[in-house]
Amino acid sequence: MSAAQPLPGAGHDEKGHDEKSRDDRGRDAAWQRELREQFPIVTAHPESAYLDSAATSQKPRAVLDAVQTYLTTSNANAGRGTYPWANRTTELVEGTRERVKEFLRDPEPDRSTVHFTSGTTEGLRTVARDWLVPYLTDGDEILVPFADHRANLDPWLETQRLLAARGVDVHVRALPYQAVSGDYDHRALVGLVGPRTRFVAATHVHHVYGGDMNVHRIRAAVGPDVPICLDAAQSVGHLPVDLADPALDVDFVVFSGHKAMALPGSGAVWARNARGPEFRPAGWQGTPNTVGIVSLRAALDWLDAAGPDRIARWTAGLTTRLTDRLRHLDPYEILGCPTSLAADSALPAAQRRHGIVTFRHHDIPSDDLGFILYSHGFMVRADSLCQAGAAEKDGSVRVSLHVHNTVEEIDRLLTVLASLA
């Protein structure tokens, strides 16, 4: 089946009705082919299928060109010179701060702050070390995820240790999860919130299950005054992130550039500065990663032009196609709630999965299955996926998709997986 064919399940409402006409699906397929051609590494290796975009994204030509142009025309340090190249670099850095706010649909850009980091991990640590530690007092409580990415757990446990060394006792409570789906248990969460709850760390899209973690329900559970820090590593660059939407009433959004089509070593913390003290990273700020920041600006421009909503719709269609067939192959177990991925799902769109399908084979260890798939031209993630609390025995295979992936790649993958059943 070619990439031009329509995607079954790519556009259904909660009743299973087709939302898109055949002409619309055809236009989406043509749009996708045009975008795929803009990824040099993808077109140079047509025999291979890169299915690991949740680990790092491939880069479109526009990002590569922006980096080369910067390095060959105005490479200099930022904020440290008065000559034209330095001035231009400073303008690029400061302009990218505003571009991040614009991309995130920041409703109050004059109030908010954007701080560049090396990625989500450093960003979350910066929020923990420079904002949360001074904010908390003895007896305060924080709610954090114990089954999400380790980057969204370790900084908060470190916060507790740092404060304990100063004689400040802070209680860390685990966000509750639903056993089958891996989603947060928002009803149980209500019972954990108390008068000393001061902070919540949450994930926007889960890196293993691909689920939208329904941040609006966390806000409803904790009330209007508690700051929420959002790990958006798997949402920014993969689907629309609209901070003007009341459903996304959070105080920090932290993301990695390399997962959003920018270069490795780039990322950002967006701070709303509406609850608690203003976010001000401590210490002397050294030379920024100017090349990474340039790549981030180009990536955000590219993503906006492509349309985050269309990208999300395309990857959701591929996800549905893979899941609908894989869940009927007996040797495989799909992690998370399979019905939230299915074309006939009765769940609202907000609860659907986004571009990630993680599974295990009952008889083949995950690392072996990863090698087998690579021998057939498929690059997937096969290990414990940096999930907090997971051990080597909990390894799984994760297929994560982006706009350059095709129906034909999914069908080839399914053929190989079926041959191993």
Side-chain angles (χ1 to χ4, degrees):
M1 180 174 286
S2 71
Q5 290 184 271
L7 279 169
H12 289 76
D13 61 20
E14 60 266 30
K15 296 180 180 179
H17 298 147
D18 195 346
E19 293 176 335
K20 294 173 64 61
S21 70
R22 186 178 299 274
D23 288 345
D24 287 338
R25 293 195 297 270
R27 280 191 290 270
D28 274 354
W31 161 85
Q32 188 274 339
R33 284 196 302 272
E34 180 181 351
L35 294 187
R36 178 181 168 87
E37 291 299 315
Q38 298 178 37
F39 290 84
I41 195 171
V42 172
T43 57
H45 300 279
E47 74 288 353
S48 299
Y50 184 77
L51 305 175
D52 199 19
S53 290
T56 197
S57 62
Q58 297 304 334
K59 320 307 176 192
R61 172 60 67 187
V63 172
L64 303 176
D65 288 347
V67 169
Q68 184 175 27
T69 298
Y70 168 72
L71 289 175
T72 57
T73 61
S74 58
N75 178 41
N77 212 327
R80 289 165 173 79
T82 57
Y83 52 90
W85 292 359
N87 291 338
R88 174 59 177 155
T89 298
T90 301
E91 291 171 0
L92 283 168
V93 170
E94 295 308 314
T96 304
R97 296 187 203 279
E98 299 308 311
R99 187 68 184 91
V100 169
K101 296 179 184 183
E102 181 183 21
F103 185 80
L104 297 177
R105 310 298 187 257
D106 185 344
E108 296 183 277
D110 292 337
R111 166 186 272 185
S112 62
T113 301
V114 171
H115 172 67
F116 293 117
T117 69
S118 64
T120 304
T121 300
E122 185 197 348
L124 293 169
R125 283 176 172 160
T126 301
V127 174
R129 181 187 64 239
D130 297 343
W131 187 86
L132 186 59
V133 167
Y135 177 61
L136 297 175
T137 60
D138 194 65
D140 284 346
E141 300 175 352
I142 63 175
L143 291 160
V144 303
F146 275 71
D148 295 1
H149 198 287
R150 282 191 59 186
N152 202 16
L153 174 62
D154 290 357
W156 320 121
L157 298 180
E158 184 180 5
T159 294
Q160 183 185 41
R161 292 193 297 270
L162 287 171
L163 288 169
R166 303 176 187 180
V168 178
D169 185 19
V170 169
H171 305 286
V172 177
R173 297 187 181 277
L175 283 172
Y177 293 85
Q178 297 178 28
V180 175
S181 68
D183 295 340
Y184 299 135
D185 187 336
H186 302 91
R187 293 176 180 171
L189 174 59
V190 174
L192 296 177
V193 177
R196 297 302 299 272
T197 302
R198 294 289 184 264
F199 176 83
V200 178
T203 298
H204 196 186
V205 172
H206 200 280
H207 74 293
V208 176
Y209 312 118
D212 183 319
M213 302 299 278
N214 292 297
V215 180
H216 66 286
R217 294 181 179 174
I218 295 178
R219 171 56 69 201
V222 303
D225 300 323
V226 178
I228 297 175
C229 179
L230 193 64
D231 174 352
Q234 299 299 343
S235 56
V236 173
H238 298 262
L239 66 153
V241 178
D242 185 354
L243 292 170
D245 185 344
L248 206 58
D249 181 12
V250 298
D251 299 270
F252 297 94
V253 171
V254 188
F255 67 94
S256 298
H258 76 95
K259 296 180 190 288
M261 300 191 178
L263 294 185
S266 63
V269 175
W270 172 89
R272 190 183 295 273
N273 296 326
R275 301 176 181 92
E278 183 178 353
F279 174 64
R280 294 178 179 270
W284 174 256
Q285 302 299 306
T287 298
N289 177 7
T290 54
V291 177
I293 293 168
V294 166
S295 76
L296 179 58
R297 181 168 186 165
L300 298 182
D301 288 344
W302 190 92
L303 288 163
D304 254 346
D309 54 338
R310 297 187 76 181
I311 291 172
R313 185 166 63 239
W314 182 263
T315 57
L318 295 177
T319 302
T320 298
R321 188 179 189 87
L322 175 57
T323 305
D324 273 351
R325 300 190 185 186
L326 187 61
R327 65 179 176 149
H328 296 299
L329 292 177
D330 288 338
Y332 296 97
E333 171 197 2
I334 297 176
L335 305 190
C337 180
T339 58
S340 66
L341 293 150
D344 58 358
S345 174
L347 294 173
Q351 294 177 262
R352 299 292 180 89
R353 307 283 146 161
H354 296 283
I356 293 174
V357 182
T358 303
F359 55 90
R360 296 189 181 108
H361 192 291
H362 290 163
D363 301 315
I364 303 175
S366 296
D367 53 352
D368 290 345
L369 184 54
F371 281 118
I372 292 170
L373 291 177
Y374 178 71
S375 72
H376 290 273
F378 300 102
M379 290 173 272
V380 299
R381 178 80 177 265
D383 54 30
S384 60
L385 307 181
C386 299
Q387 185 174 14
E392 185 176 349
K393 65 180 178 60
D394 300 315
S396 54
V397 171
R398 182 180 68 187
V399 171
S400 53
L401 306 161
H402 220 304
V403 70
H404 51 73
N405 293 120
T406 66
V407 174
E408 186 272 336
E409 289 174 339
I410 296 302
D411 286 352
R412 282 198 292 119
L413 174 64
L414 285 162
T415 298
V416 173
L417 292 173
S419 73
L420 302 172

XYZ file of all heavy atoms in Angstrom, residues 32 51 81 89 98 132 144 216 246 248 265 278-279 291 333 336 395 405:
133
model
N 1.701 15.154 3.039
C 2.707 14.364 3.747
C 3.866 14.000 2.837
O 5.030 14.049 3.249
C 2.056 13.102 4.327
C 2.967 12.296 5.244
C 3.850 11.301 4.518
O 3.557 10.911 3.379
N 4.930 10.880 5.154
N 11.606 4.843 13.122
C 10.410 4.768 13.961
C 10.776 5.064 15.411
O 10.291 4.411 16.337
C 9.777 3.379 13.847
C 9.426 2.902 12.428
C 8.910 1.464 12.457
C 8.392 3.820 11.788
N 29.304 41.386 22.665
C 30.049 42.167 21.679
C 29.158 43.220 21.064
O 27.928 43.171 21.179
N 23.689 37.762 16.467
C 23.501 36.570 17.292
C 22.637 36.880 18.506
O 21.734 36.107 18.866
C 24.858 36.005 17.731
O 25.609 35.617 16.568
C 24.684 34.793 18.631
N 10.968 35.016 22.087
C 9.624 35.454 21.699
C 8.974 34.447 20.762
O 7.755 34.248 20.800
C 9.693 36.836 21.046
C 10.253 37.912 21.961
C 9.555 37.967 23.307
O 8.298 37.996 23.316
O 10.242 37.967 24.337
N 11.876 25.736 42.772
C 11.107 24.978 43.757
C 11.793 24.942 45.121
O 11.129 25.098 46.156
C 10.858 23.556 43.251
C 9.930 22.693 44.113
C 8.559 23.347 44.252
C 9.792 21.296 43.515
N 4.287 14.215 42.467
C 5.153 13.996 41.307
C 4.899 12.604 40.733
O 4.411 11.702 41.417
C 6.644 14.157 41.679
C 6.895 15.534 42.287
C 7.104 13.074 42.636
N -5.878 19.064 32.269
C -7.012 19.844 32.778
C -7.661 19.167 33.983
O -8.194 19.846 34.875
C -8.044 20.058 31.662
C -8.719 18.811 31.185
N -8.079 17.877 30.395
C -9.978 18.342 31.379
C -8.915 16.894 30.126
N -10.070 17.145 30.712
N -7.722 27.274 28.231
C -7.871 27.075 29.681
C -7.596 25.645 30.130
O -7.273 25.417 31.301
C -9.323 27.476 29.948
C -9.696 28.373 28.818
C -8.935 27.861 27.630
N -5.098 23.987 29.448
C -3.660 23.839 29.646
C -3.159 24.953 30.572
O -2.220 25.675 30.271
C -2.925 23.873 28.310
C -1.579 23.136 28.248
C -1.758 21.670 28.616
C -0.972 23.245 26.856
N 20.969 19.195 22.322
C 21.538 20.201 23.200
C 20.756 21.490 23.253
O 21.243 22.494 23.787
N 8.619 34.748 40.678
C 9.041 34.768 39.276
C 10.171 33.775 39.077
O 11.055 33.619 39.934
C 9.503 36.170 38.884
C 9.905 36.300 37.420
C 10.311 37.711 37.046
O 10.143 38.611 37.890
O 10.801 37.903 35.911
N 10.161 33.103 37.952
C 11.205 32.129 37.624
C 12.459 32.874 37.167
O 12.459 33.554 36.146
C 10.712 31.185 36.525
C 11.766 30.230 36.014
C 12.318 29.279 36.859
C 12.188 30.285 34.693
C 13.289 28.395 36.392
C 13.147 29.406 34.217
C 13.695 28.460 35.066
N 23.989 27.916 18.276
C 23.611 27.109 17.112
C 22.328 26.335 17.398
O 21.433 26.255 16.553
C 24.752 26.146 16.726
C 24.335 25.261 15.560
C 26.008 26.922 16.364
N 1.619 -7.962 23.344
C 0.885 -7.213 24.360
C 1.167 -5.731 24.149
O 2.332 -5.304 24.203
C 1.346 -7.624 25.756
C 0.798 -6.751 26.864
C 1.566 -6.893 28.167
O 2.565 -7.651 28.191
O 1.187 -6.238 29.146
N -0.397 0.041 27.885
C -1.404 1.090 27.921
C -2.751 0.520 27.513
O -2.940 -0.696 27.400
N 11.659 -4.450 29.789
C 11.910 -3.897 28.459
C 10.733 -4.086 27.517
O 9.940 -5.021 27.649
N 6.820 9.525 8.359
C 6.480 8.104 8.258
C 5.268 7.886 7.368
O 4.431 8.769 7.207
C 6.222 7.522 9.640
C 7.474 7.479 10.493
O 7.526 8.092 11.551
N 8.498 6.776 10.031
